[in-house]
Amino acid sequence: MTSATFSLFLLTFFLVSLTPGMCMMLSLSLGMTVGVRRTAWMWVGELVGVGTVAAASVLGVATVLLQYPPLFTAFKLGGGAYLVWLGIEMWRSRGSLAIPEVADGARAPRRLQLATQGLVTAIANPKGWAFFIALLPPFLNFDQPMAPQLSLLLAIILSMELCCLILYAMGGSVARALLARRSNVQLMNRVSGVLIAGIGVWLMLD
């Protein structure tokens, strides 16, 4: 991977991690209601789930692409088009990625419950599967051994994911005040939508 491609990888997956979704909004909500320290148990389960989804997505895609190389082009076009569609939906403040209202009144669950909640949320989240299937393969060299590449990229992805989870949990009160105004929610959705759609265009043209 060239330095330019690696920089694009970092930017792409940082934006994906930072984009509000089921896991990030769960971290934000728990950070407000049960505290950052206790929310860390949810992060453990969530990171295990994200790593599992990423590895399963790439290995499944790699198996198909190695046998049918022409599918790679169609795969990139389909994945890029999907991201563009998600970006448009975010611009309209609709869809699964659009920033929702922050929930109140959560009770403090036990540590195992928090870890399980994080794991189930990550694995059951269709957005996570779609993103990893669409975004990871273009950064992999299928002519080289897969294990070292996937291990390195997963370590980077999980590190960025953890940083974003911490940011959401610690910034719960600030985010709550910010998201109380509809105009701010709309602006954040539109900025995120443009970035996600731009990544989709890059995938289709690369």
Side-chain angles (χ1 to χ4, degrees):
M1 188 183 297
T2 64
S3 58
T5 303
F6 184 69
S7 298
L8 183 60
F9 167 80
L10 291 178
L11 175 62
T12 298
F13 280 91
F14 179 73
L15 289 174
V16 169
S17 295
L18 194 60
T19 299
M22 292 172 62
C23 294
M24 293 301 156
M25 296 311 294
L26 176 61
S27 184
L28 183 142
S29 180
L30 289 174
M32 288 190 298
T33 55
V34 303
V36 175
R37 181 175 299 181
R38 197 167 189 85
T39 302
W41 290 98
M42 186 278 288
W43 303 339
V44 174
E46 197 270 349
L47 292 176
V48 172
V50 168
T52 301
V53 170
S57 300
V58 170
L59 293 176
V61 170
T63 300
V64 174
L65 294 182
L66 286 174
Q67 295 180 0
Y68 307 100
L71 288 178
F72 187 63
T73 300
F75 182 78
K76 288 201 304 179
L77 292 175
Y82 173 72
L83 294 179
V84 171
W85 176 78
L86 285 178
I88 294 173
E89 288 292 284
M90 289 192 69
W91 179 272
R92 297 175 176 175
S93 295
R94 301 190 315 194
S96 61
L97 289 184
I99 301 172
E101 295 182 0
V102 180
D104 269 333
R107 294 183 179 180
R110 290 176 293 181
R111 294 173 179 178
L112 181 60
Q113 288 178 311
L114 287 169
T116 302
Q117 187 176 13
L119 177 66
V120 172
T121 300
I123 292 180
N125 183 7
K127 183 202 78 173
W129 288 93
F131 267 117
F132 283 120
I133 289 175
L135 293 180
L136 261 181
F139 294 102
L140 295 169
N141 186 344
F142 292 102
D143 295 325
Q144 300 294 328
M146 191 64 58
Q149 298 182 73
L150 185 57
S151 298
L152 176 61
L153 296 186
L154 280 180
I156 296 172
I157 290 171
L158 293 180
S159 297
M160 291 190 290
E161 183 82 1
L162 177 59
C163 290
C164 292
L165 287 168
I166 294 173
L167 286 174
Y168 268 79
M170 295 183 66
S173 59
V174 176
R176 181 179 181 181
L178 180 64
L179 298 179
R181 298 184 59 183
R182 178 172 296 181
S183 60
N184 290 335
V185 175
Q186 185 180 54
L187 176 61
M188 293 176 68
N189 275 328
R190 289 186 172 183
V191 171
S192 299
V194 169
L195 292 173
I196 293 298
I199 294 170
V201 172
W202 170 79
L203 278 178
M204 290 188 289
L205 298 179
D206 179 61

